[in-house]
Amino acid sequence: MGILEGKRILVTGVLTDASIAFSVAKLAQEEGATVVLTGFGRLSLVERIAKRLPEPAPVLELDVQSNEHLATLAARVGEHVDGLDGVVHSIGFAPQTALGGNFLNTTWEDVATALHVSTYSFKSLAVACLPLMKEGGAVVGLDFDATKAWPVYDWMGVAKAGLESCSRYLARDLGPHNIRVNLVAAGPLRTMAAKSIPGFKEFEDSWPAKAPLGWDLADTIPAAKACVALMSDWFPATTGEIVHVDGGVHAVGA
C-alpha cells in the first residue's frame, strides 16, 4: 500500500510533463491516490499530458481569477470524487514587466495580477475546496524562498513572500477543520514557468554550485516527493511550515 492509499487529491497547475505538478500527480497515483487535475487556458494540452499519467485523470477548467470557476469548483470536482483529502496549489504568474530587473518600473496593474494569481489564489483555492474536505486533509502550495531579494525575480518574489504569510494565516483558520497547510519551497527548475522569467539563466548557472547537496535543474521528483509526503498521514501535526527542497541553498547563505 502507498502512503496516499485511498486518498483523493486535486492537483492544479499541470501544463507539461516537466512541471512539478505533473510529478506530484504521477507520484500521488503511484502511492495509491485518486487524482483530479485542473488547468487554465490550454485545456487540450493538459488533457494530453494527463494521458501520460499511470491512470488517466479528469481535467477541469480553473481560472483562479474567476469567481464563477471558484464557486462551482467543489460541485465540478464532486462529479469525479466524493470528497478531497489533499489539494496542491501549483499556480503562479506575473506579467513580463514584473520580472527581469524591472522592479522599480512595474505598474500596480501588473503587480496586482501577480499578487492575485500567485498569492490570493492560495486562499481562494483552499476556500473553494473546503466543502469537499469535511474529514480534514492537507493543502500544499509550491513556493520559492522569499527571505531574499533574488536577481530577476522581482515582484514574483514579493508575491511568494505574500504566499508564505498567507499559508500561515490559512493554517490558523483551517486548523479547526483538521486541515493542514504547508508549502514546499523548491529550488529553480526548468519548468514552463521558469522559462518565462527573463534572466533565469542566472539561477541555472549558480544554484548547483551553491547547493551543499548539489542541484539538478531538470529533476522535479524531490519537490514532488515532499508534496506527497505532506499530504500523507506521516505529518499529522505539521502545519504552517515551509519545507525547503533546494539542495540546501537556503541554509548556507551562498
Side-chain angles (χ1 to χ4, degrees):
M1 290 179 62
I3 63 172
L4 295 185
E5 192 70 34
K7 293 192 182 295
R8 304 148 299 178
I9 306 295
L10 180 70
V11 180
T12 67
V14 174
L15 185 57
T16 73
D17 54 7
S19 65
I20 298 174
F22 178 85
S23 290
V24 172
K26 181 175 183 292
L27 186 59
Q29 286 188 342
E30 292 171 349
E31 290 296 327
T34 299
V35 172
V36 178
L37 306 178
T38 74
F40 170 62
R42 302 163 68 182
L43 278 191
S44 60
L45 175 60
V46 182
E47 289 167 349
R48 287 200 301 273
I49 296 300
K51 293 177 181 177
R52 299 179 188 175
L53 292 170
E55 297 290 335
V59 177
L60 307 178
E61 185 177 17
L62 177 61
D63 175 0
V64 291
Q65 292 184 287
S66 166
N67 291 332
E68 180 184 355
H69 282 197
L70 290 164
T72 60
L73 182 63
R76 291 184 289 132
V77 172
E79 294 176 3
H80 303 280
V81 290
D82 58 358
L84 286 173
D85 304 288
V87 176
V88 179
H89 178 278
S90 183
I91 298 170
F93 172 77
Q96 289 285 297
T97 56
L99 300 161
N102 196 46
F103 186 83
L104 295 179
N105 300 313
T106 308
T107 65
W108 164 243
E109 288 74 19
D110 288 343
V111 170
T113 297
L115 294 176
H116 193 170
V117 177
S118 308
T119 306
Y120 184 77
S121 69
F122 193 46
K123 189 281 296 188
S124 299
L125 179 65
V127 171
C129 294
L130 189 57
L132 294 171
M133 304 183 76
K134 298 184 185 302
E135 299 175 7
V139 178
V140 179
L142 271 298
D143 186 24
F144 188 79
D145 179 49
T147 60
K148 303 173 184 64
W150 297 103
V152 310
Y153 209 46
D154 294 352
W155 285 100
M156 184 57 86
V158 176
K160 290 299 187 183
L163 178 71
E164 293 178 2
S165 182
C166 180
S167 73
R168 290 186 284 269
Y169 282 95
L170 276 177
R172 181 195 68 183
D173 289 354
L174 294 182
H177 297 274
N178 196 30
I179 296 173
R180 294 166 283 120
V181 182
N182 296 290
L183 298 177
V184 172
L189 293 161
R190 292 193 184 108
T191 61
M192 187 71 75
K195 291 177 181 177
S196 70
I197 300 174
F200 180 75
K201 195 172 187 304
E202 289 193 41
F203 291 114
E204 293 184 320
D205 292 342
S206 63
W207 206 278
K210 293 178 180 178
L213 293 176
W215 185 250
D216 184 346
L217 290 131
D219 187 4
T220 57
I221 297 300
K225 285 184 174 180
C227 292
V228 168
L230 287 168
M231 289 188 291
S232 77
D233 295 331
W234 286 95
F235 284 88
T238 299
T239 195
E241 187 58 86
I242 301 172
V243 178
H244 290 83
V245 183
D246 63 355
V249 170
H250 76 283
V252 299

